[in-house]
Structures are given as C-alpha cells and as structure tokens.
Amino acid sequence: MGRSKAALEWHGSTLLHRTAQTVARATSGPVVVVRAPGQELPELPDGVLVADDPREGRGPLQGIAAGLAALTGHADLAFVSSTDMPFLHPAFIRRVLSVLEDSESTDVALPVARGYQQPLAAGYRVSLAEAAERLVSQDRLRPAFLFEQCRVRTLDADELLRDPVLAALDPDLDSVLNVNTPADYAAARARAARNGLQAVETDRLR
C-alpha cells in the first residue's frame, strides 16, 4: 500500500476508526487495537484500549497474542480483525462469535470465505493467549501453528449464511474483503460511496 492502512481516509473517518467502531457495536466487551512499536495511530473511538507488539515485523500471530493477552481478565471470547476490511459488518462478527458461545469444545471459529481461511476475521478464546505467546517466542509465527494446538471449527460460506441476519445483510460475505493495494482502496471507497444509501438502510436492520 505504501502507507499506513490504519490511517487511510474512509468517508470522513479512517479505516482503523471504522473497524474499531464496528467491533464495538458487535460485542459487549472492550476493544483492543494492537500497534507496532512506536506506531502513531489515528483518533480512536472512546474507550478503545491500545496494546503494543513487543517487537516489530513479527507477523499476525504476535498481534493476536498481544491482543488476547490485553483482554485476559476482561473477556472470554475475542473477534480478531485486521484493519483493512472496510465492509466488515457487525452481523458477521456476531455470527462468528456465536459459534464459540454455543460450543465450549471450540477454541477458534475460523471462517473460510471467498476461497481462503480468514484468521484475521475469526473468533478466538482469550485463554489461547499463552499458547500464542509461546509460539511467537519459538519463532513459529503463522496462525496455522496455533490452530494445530487447539480445537478449530471452520465455517464455510453455507454455514456462515445459515444465520438469517447475516444472509440478509451480507449475503456475499463482503465482510472479509480487504484492501492491499491503492487500486483496492480506490475501488472500495468508490463502491462505498456508490452504495451509501443502501448501506444506511441495511445498517438499520442489523
């Protein structure tokens, strides 16, 4: 992208602000933003907590570990999201977390949508913090290493869309679309502007 995704403008706000706000709307617990050491963040919604990666450039598992550690004692379940999913919907978050709420034998609710596993749009038990931190200390930095050590339930598109609310509000699972290039970002902004009225109307139905 060539610049911080967190600070990318998003229709009067930023991508990070929008993502944090969406997670807050969908959950009852605190929202934690994990940043790289020394990273400057744009303005965040009130009440959002900030945790720091202990080392820079260690990949997504370190961010997951830091976020889960920050939530220890404050929540049992966490939805982990990357910053750059501009169409993330509260209904998607609630659907993923409901799998953990309904099954004590599941540690990770892992969507498989648009052809890929989505570890950065997934639900995790906060108790996995220690296992994630141990893997990071061993330089085993991919989420797949954590999945090998816990009970994962994968959720394909059909299973996700069994939730009638999600099926009505995000039938194409656009929640997991991310922006990796300037072209992706421009296309997402144009699409959001074009569908603005529809987005407002569907949001009222959430």
Side-chain angles (χ1 to χ4, degrees):
M1 182 66 72
R3 50 181 167 153
S4 170
K5 291 182 180 181
L8 288 175
E9 192 276 337
W10 189 256
H11 300 284
S13 183
T14 64
L15 273 185
L16 179 57
H17 192 286
R18 194 254 178 212
T19 300
Q21 197 168 54
T22 300
V23 174
R25 286 166 54 195
T27 62
S28 58
V31 175
V32 175
V33 169
V34 179
R35 65 179 176 182
Q39 180 184 7
E40 292 187 11
L41 298 177
E43 181 181 356
L44 295 170
D46 291 342
V48 171
L49 308 175
V50 176
D52 291 306
D53 275 341
R55 292 173 59 189
E56 190 169 3
R58 301 281 284 167
L61 187 57
Q62 179 174 253
I64 292 171
L68 295 180
L71 285 171
T72 299
H74 302 285
D76 296 322
L77 308 176
F79 181 83
V80 172
S81 170
S82 61
T83 301
D84 63 339
M85 296 193 297
F87 302 110
L88 180 64
H89 199 287
F92 181 88
I93 298 171
R94 294 189 188 108
R95 170 62 179 133
V96 171
L97 290 179
S98 72
V99 173
L100 295 178
E101 292 167 349
D102 294 343
S103 175
E104 293 184 0
S105 63
T106 300
D107 297 316
V108 177
L110 178 64
V112 181
R114 294 181 170 266
Y116 298 96
Q117 291 187 349
Q118 303 289 341
L120 298 182
Y124 296 78
R125 292 202 180 275
V126 172
S127 58
L128 292 173
E130 184 176 342
E133 290 174 333
R134 182 173 62 253
L135 288 168
V136 171
S137 71
Q138 297 168 353
D139 290 330
R140 303 179 71 197
L141 303 177
R142 295 168 49 211
F145 291 126
L146 179 63
F147 300 157
E148 291 173 357
Q149 299 189 11
C150 62
R151 300 165 296 181
V152 178
R153 179 172 166 186
T154 57
L155 308 171
D156 64 17
D158 288 342
E159 187 163 6
L160 288 164
L161 294 173
R162 285 176 191 164
D163 175 10
V165 177
L166 181 59
L169 299 180
D170 188 12
D172 296 321
L173 299 178
D174 290 341
S175 285
V176 302
L177 287 176
N178 56 12
V179 292
N180 291 316
T181 67
D184 292 341
Y185 169 56
R189 288 189 79 254
R191 175 180 169 182
R194 187 169 59 248
N195 297 333
L197 179 59
Q198 180 182 357
V200 170
E201 292 301 323
T202 56
D203 188 57
R204 290 173 181 167
L205 298 174
R206 70 177 179 85

